[in-house]
Amino acid sequence: MSALPVYNDPNLLVGIDTGDDAAVYKINDQLALIQTLDFFPPIVDDPYSFGAIAVANSLSDVYAMGGHPLIALNIVGFPIALDKKILQQILLGGSDKAHEAGVLIVGGHTVDDVEPKYGLSVTGLVKPGEHYANVGAQPGDLLVLTKPLGTGIITTAAKADSVDEEILNSAIQIMATLNREASEIMVEIGGNACTDITGFGLLGHLERMATGSNVSLKIHLSSVPVIPGTWQLLEEGIAPGGTHRNLSSVEKSVEWDSEIPFEGKLLLCDAQTSGGLLISLPHQKANELITRLEQKEIRASVVGEVFKPQGSPIQVVQ
Ligand code: CO
Ligand code: CO
């Protein structure tokens, strides 16, 4: 992307420069469009679950902007020789999840491919000025995470058949959960910045937030919610290649407390699929947010704090 020319437009409220996963384009003073796209190969064997997860993940980028997704288009790659019933199940899982979100899938496009791929291009709405971005975190804010980490590690273990079904099922359920309610409550309470945690892992997404907001962030490893079973897999040496790559790419921005084990570093960099929202907001609001989320059975935690820039953009303590 850095090799491409950048064309500015006064109506483009969020573009490619902040590294957000969705663009926000102002139509008039009351209305802005949110546009985003995501697709990927199966991360779980069950085609219905894969479809549901892919859709929850695609819609998440609209929720992270504080917006409402409206309509979407399917993007599908599928091997022509494979049983069409598998494709049907993928699309059904996606369709049911979109319906749950109140989003209409209004069409799409399929190409022959060596392995299946699925996702959505999503169009949403937000009021201009009320949209969220991954910049805007303020010194004194707390950082709230709305889903536990570990989906990259667990799905990697599942590919090697070395994870309990119960653990895998809880990861599937977490990935298929919409970030809709978390986003709606965030918008009601009011926050300063938001991003969803996906492929770059918690620290990768926080690095963008720290740099873009010109702040330093302190993360408490022991406060970070983790899907049960993840630590054991880490201790067995299981982590996806993307997680290791995330760790090497954030190293330069992170100061680790000497007590942080290597497994803890990997966990904080684990490449997530359809992860939670990471919301930066003032102290009192953070407590209110967590209480309100708990009422909806969303397990959210304060994972860190925001400071004036000092030293490394991110400090990780036990
Ligand atoms: Co995305
Ligand atoms: Co995203």
Side-chain angles (χ1 to χ4, degrees), residues 44 46-57 89-95 97 118:
V44 292
D46 175 50
Y48 182 93
S49 298
F50 167 51
I53 292 166
V55 164
N57 181 76
Q89 283 301 305
I90 294 172
L91 296 180
L92 182 62
S95 162
K97 187 53 67 178
Y118 178 54

Side-chain angles (χ1 to χ4, degrees), residues 180-197:
R180 177 178 57 172
E181 282 179 323
S183 170
E184 286 172 358
I185 295 171
M186 166 185 81
V187 169
E188 277 177 42
I189 292 175
N192 291 325
C194 180
T195 184
D196 61 344
I197 304 303

Side-chain angles (χ1 to χ4, degrees), residues 19-22 36 38 57-58 60-62 64 195-199 205 208:
D20 277 282
D21 292 331
T36 181
D38 260 294
N57 181 76
S58 299
S60 177
D61 284 326
V62 175
T195 184
D196 61 344
I197 304 303
T198 52
H205 290 275
R208 292 173 172 198

